[in-house]
Each structure stands twice: as structure tokens, then as C-alpha cells.
Amino acid sequence: MKYVSLAIAAATFSAASAFAADLPSRKEAPVYVPPPPAFSWTGFYGGVNIGGSWLDRYNYDAWGPAWTGFGWINATQIAATNFSNAGVSGGVQAGYNYQLWSWLVAGVEADFQGTSIGASGVNNGWGLGFAGLPVLWGGASRGVDYFGTVRGRLGVTLPGWQQFLVYGTGGFAYGEIRINNGWLGNLRAVGTGWTVGGGVEWAFMPNWSTKVEYLYTSIGADQWGGTNLASQRVNMHTVRAGVNYHLNWGMAAPVLASY
């Protein structure tokens, strides 16, 4: 009887094991986690900057009748200075980037800068008074109150490090330039011109980047001071650092699944 009981128990255990083996497994398939989206410079951005600017050369021409101690003259005054005075410049910028390929980025940027550029220096002017006597002028002050640019940008990323962008830039420039010189008086005018330069930009954290940039800017304007017409042109160097907030960074890329 004992042996019969053991045989029945063994048969029951074997049947239960076979039934359990036929049941579906409760072990779930591993969840697929898609890789993070590739970094891209595409999107709008805006930020602030601060740096320094200095004049390379500031020229102006003036002609027309003017009173001197020798009498009225009607001649051309040519004034120029190589005095490279410097000042602080700072302002805001905004733009848009589009990543054409993994290594190539194109974009457009506009900025507006206030400056403290202004200095006095010696200019060389000449004219002819009554009886052909020469007339000389000296002592001028000049400066740039503000300037802005609208530029295109084209840059490349470093191999294996797309967060680092090296770019060139150039385009339209404008600004208020002023001069105060004797019979010309205190003249201010908003001039136009061009700018060219380059820089590097680093995306150091999500939605944020920092940059260092150099610009060479040339702005000119014609203006009347009384009866005298003055033509001014300022050539200026600017080195600045800035920080940008990028609106489109950190957005998840769409995940496409196939079945």
C-alpha cells in the first residue's frame, strides 16, 4: 500500500510539472529605450554680450566757407587721426541657426551695442584764406555712441564634438558717430557700412551656450554743420564675450517605431 501511495504522488507531481510548463511565461520582454536625440544647433536664440572696442582710424573731410582769423575760406579740410582710443561696448543679440549637416551650421544674427568710445586727438587740416595765406586747424574730439549689425553666420563643428562651433560672420552695420572740431561744430550722424569677423561658441549645458567674437566694423556718414559739409568714417575693432539661451534645445526628437 505504501508503494502504491508513492507511485500516485509521483504521478501527480509529474502531471503538475508538465501542466506548469505548458502555461505562458509571465516574464516580460525588455523595454526598448531609444538613444537620446543627436545634438543640433538648429533653433532661435538670444542673449547678452560685453567687451571692448577701439578705433583703427577715424577720417573726415569737410568743405565750404568758414571764417578764420585771416578771413573767409572756401577750401577742403582733410582731417585724420591714428589715435586708437578704446572704450567699453555691450549689448544684446538674437538670431537663428540651421544645421545643414552634422558638421555645417548656417544662421543669421542681429545685435545692438552701446559704447563709451570717445577721445580727443590732433588732426591735420588745411585751407587757404585771403591772399593765399594758409590756414591750419587742430584739436578734435570724436566718438561712437552706439552701433549695431545684421549679419550672416557660417560655421563648422569639431569632429566628435558638435557642441563646439567655429564660425565666420559678416554683413550690414550702422551706428551714431560724432565729431566736434572748431568751425564744424558738434556734429552727430547715423551712418551705415559693413562688418566682418568670426568667433567660437560652446554649448556648455542644455539650452545655454557661451561665445567669444571679434568684429571689424566700418561706418560712414555725410552731414551738414552750418554751411559746411562733413564726411565721416569710423573703422573700429571689437572683441566681446557673450552668453545665449537657445529656445529649441532640449526638445525630444520624435521616435519612429516599426512593426
Side-chain angles (χ1 to χ4, degrees), residues 201-222:
E201 189 166 0
W202 172 42
F204 62 93
M205 63 182 301
N207 295 95
W208 290 96
S209 69
T210 184
K211 70 174 184 177
V212 177
E213 187 174 68
Y214 165 79
L215 292 178
Y216 182 82
T217 306
S218 181
I219 301 172
D222 294 331

Side-chain angles (χ1 to χ4, degrees), residues 135-150:
V135 180
L136 302 177
W137 298 273
S141 63
R142 56 195 60 81
V144 179
D145 294 323
Y146 65 83
F147 72 96
T149 69
V150 179

